[in-house]
Amino acid sequence: MANISDSPGWKALFDAKPALRRSVYNIVLCLSTDGVNPFRSGQHSCWPIVFKVLNLPPELASRTDLLILAGVVHGPRKPKSFQAYNLLLVDEMLDLRVGVDTTSPDGTQTLTFSGELACHSCDLPANGLLSEQQTSGAHWGCIKCYLEGRTQHNRQLYGQVRRYLPPDHPYRTDPSFGDQEGRPTPAKRDIVSTLNAAKYAQQQQDRGADIKTYSGRTKGVRGECQLQRLGYDYVLNSLWDVVHVFKELVKKVTRDTHTHTHTNTHTHRSCCT
């Protein structure tokens, strides 16, 4: 798969909404946001909200001048909830779904644009803000499945990666990885159960309840997400930010390699002495 247009999800979107094929002015969008410090120093954090037009050829879709800046959360701190901003975004997306008229660049004709939100792609904390779910640091820290963290040294750890291997995979029982891993793969989240949990969480939130009192029942869902007003599956269509995943992978590999090299060098010197 070289592009999102090659994916089954893309085909499913156009099969469900065939009207998208009727005009080149029907655009498919990807939503993204993240915290940015606009200054070289200090702790100021603002959050640009950006749309990427997925209909464009891959070499054009990521060009800065072709991204759509929908808004900026000015900060100076990370917002505690993103739903007030999602409310405005969804209102505009509902208008765009019906169709928005504009004038061609030469002013000779009226063009009608319509659009659909296909997916959103952010790092994990931003994904949690958009979907109103807890993420890293919480007991239920995954927005895609029901993996439970375990507390160690006052931190939540999620290093249970062998649970995602096939049941008969040799790494599950390989002693070099520690204890045997016989637990099944964590169940995946789905939009129906997430919406039910969100409804209950929102009721508790409106009553002023502390999230610690109900997060166990809702499994990390903090409240209702405004994106549900679009009939949008914000669980299935939440894409991992590959840049952050690759960056963390490289950091871990280089750190482990450095540690291994340093240990071997130290052992060699000890033997020589």
Side-chain angles (χ1 to χ4, degrees):
M1 188 173 70
N3 189 41
I4 191 171
S5 58
D6 302 325
S7 67
W10 183 269
K11 182 178 183 300
L13 174 65
F14 279 83
D15 287 346
K17 302 180 183 296
L20 289 172
R21 303 181 189 272
R22 295 175 188 166
S23 171
V24 294
Y25 302 114
N26 294 339
I27 57 177
V28 180
L29 301 171
C30 174
L31 171 64
S32 184
T33 187
D34 198 2
V36 177
N37 185 349
F39 309 108
R40 292 187 178 181
S41 61
Q43 300 296 318
H44 193 106
S45 175
C46 66
W47 290 66
I49 304 168
V50 179
F51 284 109
K52 178 179 178 179
V53 181
L54 300 177
N55 306 66
L56 292 173
E59 63 273 14
L60 298 178
S62 296
R63 273 180 40 177
T64 305
D65 56 332
L66 296 178
L67 298 176
I68 301 172
L69 181 62
V72 177
V73 181
H74 55 76
R77 297 287 180 265
K78 173 182 175 180
K80 293 183 178 179
S81 174
F82 222 79
Q83 299 316 303
Y85 312 105
N86 276 351
L87 174 67
L88 300 176
L89 285 177
V90 169
D91 286 344
E92 294 200 6
M93 286 298 303
L94 289 172
D95 290 339
L96 183 61
R97 181 179 284 177
V98 175
V100 176
D101 291 336
T102 186
T103 307
S104 62
D106 59 7
T108 60
Q109 56 182 320
T110 298
L111 306 176
T112 301
F113 279 87
S114 66
E116 196 68 43
L117 181 63
C119 58
H120 63 280
S121 178
C122 313
D123 64 9
L124 186 59
N127 246 325
L129 271 179
L130 277 178
S131 57
E132 198 67 5
Q133 295 186 61
Q134 292 181 309
T135 54
S136 55
H139 183 72
W140 304 93
C142 182
I143 61 176
K144 287 285 193 178
C145 73
Y146 293 110
L147 176 68
E148 296 183 62
R150 57 186 179 87
T151 304
Q152 186 171 336
H153 304 302
N154 296 321
R155 299 183 63 186
Q156 288 288 336
L157 304 180
Y158 310 98
Q160 305 166 44
V161 293
R162 287 187 296 157
R163 293 182 63 182
Y164 295 91
L165 295 172
D168 58 348
H169 198 285
Y171 283 176
R172 279 182 169 266
T173 55
D174 190 331
S176 62
F177 291 101
D179 297 336
Q180 294 187 10
E181 180 58 86
R183 293 173 294 176
T185 301
K188 293 183 179 180
R189 293 182 187 266
D190 62 79
I191 190 62
V192 175
S193 59
T194 300
L195 290 178
N196 289 334
K199 183 177 180 180
Y200 176 80
Q202 192 64 49
Q203 292 172 347
Q204 300 305 307
Q205 193 179 114
D206 293 342
R207 293 171 183 168
D210 190 317
I211 189 173
K212 294 179 181 179
T213 63
Y214 61 84
S215 62
R217 175 168 172 174
T218 64
K219 295 181 170 53
V221 178
R222 297 187 301 180
E224 291 181 326
C225 174
Q226 288 293 322
L227 296 176
Q228 71 187 56
R229 293 168 52 211
L230 293 170
Y232 172 71
D233 189 338
Y234 59 86
V235 176
L236 177 65
N237 295 318
S238 170
L239 307 183
W240 297 119
D241 180 358
V242 179
V243 173
H244 283 81
V245 173
F246 184 73
K247 172 184 155 187
E248 293 302 319
L249 177 63
V250 170
K251 281 170 61 178
K252 176 162 180 56
V253 169
T254 53
R255 183 172 62 245
D256 290 351
T257 303
H258 173 75
T259 303
H260 179 70
T261 304
H262 176 75
T263 303
N264 285 347
T265 304
H266 180 74
T267 304
H268 177 69
R269 287 177 178 172
S270 298
C271 292
C272 286
T273 54

